[in-house]
Amino acid sequence: MPALLPKAFETPNWNFSPYEDDHRQLLPALHVAVLRSWYERFGAELYYARSSCLELLVAHPPSDRHTAARVAIEQYAYAADDIQDLEQAGDGQVRSPVWSFWWD
């Protein structure tokens, strides 16, 4: 989990600094909350992390349209740099066994 290894990642998204002006930064506790929620609901587990990206293996991706749409919005809120089209995300990545996120 990225929050447990704060110095392992170079992007400001992992290392929240109150002195940075980037409004997209997340506190480590927020990463933990999002990833824990996805793990509990969908069996999503972190399998790859690098300075500006993160990938999850998802045991039980959402299959119904309502849940997929809701999770697409969650993913957009989590990593807006990566999700450009919510409808495409809801039909594609959200229903996939691999979720990828990228930040500038």
Side-chain angles (χ1 to χ4, degrees), residues 2-49:
L4 298 177
L5 304 167
K7 301 297 183 196
F9 304 98
E10 298 171 7
T11 183
N13 191 65
W14 301 126
N15 301 307
F16 178 84
S17 170
Y19 305 108
E20 298 284 336
D21 290 332
D22 189 351
H23 65 282
R24 297 175 299 166
Q25 294 179 20
L26 297 176
L27 292 166
L30 294 175
H31 285 288
V32 170
V34 168
L35 296 176
R36 178 178 291 140
S37 174
W38 288 341
Y39 172 77
E40 290 172 354
R41 293 184 291 156
F42 309 110
E45 295 189 71
L46 176 66
Y47 82 93
Y48 179 78

Side-chain angles (χ1 to χ4, degrees), residues 3-99:
L4 298 177
L5 304 167
K7 301 297 183 196
F9 304 98
E10 298 171 7
T11 183
N13 191 65
W14 301 126
N15 301 307
F16 178 84
S17 170
Y19 305 108
E20 298 284 336
D21 290 332
D22 189 351
H23 65 282
R24 297 175 299 166
Q25 294 179 20
L26 297 176
L27 292 166
L30 294 175
H31 285 288
V32 170
V34 168
L35 296 176
R36 178 178 291 140
S37 174
W38 288 341
Y39 172 77
E40 290 172 354
R41 293 184 291 156
F42 309 110
E45 295 189 71
L46 176 66
Y47 82 93
Y48 179 78
R50 195 175 66 186
S51 64
S52 61
C53 67
L54 178 135
E55 295 190 7
L56 306 172
L57 288 177
V58 185
H60 311 287
S63 56
D64 68 276
R65 293 176 57 104
H66 176 74
T67 304
R70 190 179 77 236
V71 174
I73 293 168
E74 290 175 21
Q75 290 186 359
Y76 179 78
Y78 184 62
D81 291 345
D82 190 43
I83 308 294
Q84 301 300 315
D85 182 327
L86 285 174
E87 184 175 353
Q88 183 178 8
D91 287 336
Q93 170 163 298
V94 171
R95 295 178 189 223
S96 169
V98 176
W99 292 354

